[in-house]
Amino acid sequence: MDVFGIHTDLIDEHESFTKSGTVIWDARIAGFVEDDLAAKSQWPDPWLSLNPFFADGGQVTDLVRDGVLHPRCAEIFQAGKKETSPRPAGR
């Protein structure tokens, strides 16, 4: 599942819906709406989190090894990560 692609599609659909709902005759209001849509104030950036209530899928290093996750994930997602530890400790 491409959550970022879904996020982009939702924004595009919402923007299309917002623009097609009414005809704005006042140029000042139309400008404000266009600026607001361009600023993306109606939707925040995507938010992802790990949920401990899901079934354990294995260690990140195992998932990287099996090709389920991108290799960079082994460097990004690790327990007790320190700025000076570029490689995972397997947790």
Side-chain angles (χ1 to χ4, degrees):
M1 173 186 296
D2 178 7
V3 294
F4 297 105
I6 292 170
H7 180 256
T8 300
D9 290 345
L10 286 172
I11 289 173
D12 291 345
E13 289 175 18
H14 181 74
E15 185 173 354
S16 176
F17 171 78
T18 301
K19 288 179 175 180
S20 66
T22 58
V23 176
I24 301 173
W25 295 101
D26 188 304
R28 295 168 298 170
I29 296 172
F32 174 83
V33 170
E34 284 296 321
D35 291 345
D36 190 57
L37 289 171
K40 308 270 188 234
S41 69
Q42 296 184 35
W43 38 83
D45 289 332
W47 180 68
L48 301 176
S49 68
L50 301 175
N51 186 333
F53 298 107
F54 285 110
D56 187 338
Q59 293 186 358
V60 172
T61 51
D62 296 335
L63 297 171
V64 168
R65 180 198 65 225
D66 296 341
V68 175
L69 293 177
H70 188 278
R72 275 295 273 168
C73 291
E75 296 176 15
I76 295 169
F77 300 107
Q78 53 178 298
K81 180 178 177 178
K82 296 181 179 140
E83 192 171 331
T84 58
S85 57
R87 290 280 158 206
R91 300 181 307 134

